[in-house]
Amino acid sequence: QVQLVETGGGLVQAGGSLRLTCTASGRTFSRYAMAWFRQAPGKEREFVAAIACTGDNTQYLGSVKGRFTISRDNTKSTAFLQMNSLKPEDTAVYYCATHSAIICANVYTNRPYDLWGQGTQVTVSS
């Protein structure tokens, strides 16, 4: 059974940084693209960033480009989201996600991510 566990959320002042970690278990991590999504109160869940299975291609939501960096360590079955220059509008629950059955999906895929972690809260104060 595949399990995704996010850690690293917290409360930070605007302009600060946080690093989220997603630890996966239950299958070969390196065969699957990974992504981060977020959901703010009263809003739809939105895509934040994705990284290819090999780590050589990434995609970002426009509003986080240049501030957030997605990465992965396939030797440790872990994905990361480094968030710098945080803004109050980045406040949300952040989720990592992957595909259950699509091997090495393109980061621009429209195929929905269907395996999710439990989420970690990020709160940015002004």
Side-chain angles (χ1 to χ4, degrees):
Q1 182 179 356
V2 180
Q3 188 173 17
L4 303 175
V5 178
E6 302 98 332
T7 56
L11 173 64
V12 64
Q13 287 189 328
S17 299
L18 282 174
R19 188 192 199 204
L20 305 185
T21 299
C22 174
T23 303
S25 61
R27 68 178 187 184
T28 305
F29 179 79
S30 60
R31 299 182 70 192
Y32 299 90
M34 296 297 297
W36 288 92
F37 287 74
R38 67 186 181 187
Q39 187 167 22
K43 294 189 176 181
E44 297 282 323
R45 186 178 296 184
E46 67 175 351
F47 168 85
V48 175
I51 186 167
C53 59
T54 56
D56 61 354
N57 201 7
T58 56
Q59 186 197 14
Y60 293 93
L61 174 69
S63 61
V64 308
K65 237 179 233 185
R67 300 189 297 123
F68 290 11
T69 302
I70 188 171
S71 61
R72 64 190 296 159
D73 184 345
N74 285 345
T75 67
K76 297 182 179 178
S77 298
T78 306
F80 305 97
L81 186 68
Q82 177 67 44
M83 305 185 294
N84 299 329
S85 302
L86 282 161
K87 303 175 181 180
E89 51 264 43
D90 295 318
T91 294
V93 178
Y94 283 72
Y95 300 89
C96 69
T98 188
H99 295 109
S100 61
I102 305 171
I103 305 298
C104 287
N106 189 293
V107 294
Y108 298 98
T109 183
N110 289 323
R111 303 288 292 276
Y113 290 85
D114 57 352
L115 290 178
W116 298 85
Q118 83 289 349
T120 185
Q121 176 70 48
V122 171
T123 303
V124 185
S125 63
S126 57

